[in-house]
Amino acid sequence: MSWKFVLYDWAGLNLALFQAINAGTPAVLWPLASLFSLIGSYWTAPLTVLGLWAWSKASSDPARVRLVRSRLLHFGVAFLLALAAASALKWWLDFPRPHAVLGAAVHVIGAVELHYSLPSGHATYAALVAAALWPLLAWRGRGCLLMYAALVGWSRMAAGMHFPGDVLAGWGLGLGCTVLSRRACAGWLRQWLETLLCVQAVRGIGRC
C-alpha cells in the first residue's frame, strides 16, 4: 500500500467522488462550470491586483488604505510562491488527469489534458483570492468568498480536469502560501524599520 493510495486515492473514494460530480452535473450547468473555470484562472490575477490598488486609492480612511495595500502585498507574494510551488509539484508528481484514467467516460469542457493533475491551479488561485480579501470584508462578503472558492473547485471537476484530491491540495497550497507570505512580509517590514531606525541613529549620534 503506497502513500498515494492512502493520501490521494483515498482507497478509491477520490475516483468515485469525481465520477459522481462529473457525471452528475447536468448540461444546463456546463456554462456555469466554464464561467468559474475562467474567473478562477491565474490569468485574472492582474485584475485582482488592479482592483485592490483602485480600492486603496478610493478609500479616504488611512487605516483602510494601509490594510488594503498590505493585503495587496501579501497577495502578490503569495501568488508568486504558489505559482512556483504548484508548477514544481505538477512536474515532480505528474499525476494523470481524469481523462487519462477514465478515457471517454469523462465529460470534458475545453481542451483535453492528460498530465499534471495535482494540485489544481484554479483551486490554488481561488484560495489565494479568498484569503487576500477575507480581512477586508464583512460576513456576507466572506460567505461569497467561500462560495467562489467552492464553485471554482467544483467547476474543475465538472469540467473533467481534476479529481477532488487535486482541488483540496490546491486550496491547501493557496492558504499555506498566504500564511508564508504574511510571515515573509512581516519579516521584511521589521527589517526595513530596523534599518530606518539605524539610519536615524547614525544621523543623530554618529553610530548605530
Side-chain angles (χ1 to χ4, degrees), residues 65-117:
V65 171
R66 287 194 297 271
L67 178 59
V68 173
R69 289 186 179 177
S70 71
R71 301 314 302 169
L72 174 57
L73 175 61
H74 294 157
F75 173 76
V77 174
F79 176 83
L80 294 176
L81 289 173
L83 185 63
S87 299
L89 285 171
K90 283 178 178 289
W91 281 92
W92 175 44
L93 297 173
D94 192 17
F95 281 5
R97 299 263 185 170
H99 193 271
V101 176
L102 299 171
V106 177
H107 169 71
V108 177
I109 300 175
V112 172
E113 297 185 31
L114 302 177
H115 300 281
Y116 314 126
S117 192

Side-chain angles (χ1 to χ4, degrees), residues 122-187:
H122 286 69
T124 301
Y125 178 70
L128 291 174
V129 172
L133 297 179
W134 189 268
L136 304 175
L137 301 176
W139 66 270
R140 286 190 180 87
R142 291 176 176 180
C144 291
L145 290 177
L146 292 176
M147 185 67 69
Y148 160 74
L151 285 172
V152 170
W154 161 80
S155 74
R156 302 311 289 159
M157 294 178 282
M161 294 297 182
H162 286 286
F163 292 105
D166 307 326
V167 172
L168 289 178
W171 286 336
L173 179 61
L175 294 177
C177 288
T178 297
V179 172
L180 287 177
S181 74
R182 292 185 65 180
R183 293 183 177 180
C185 291

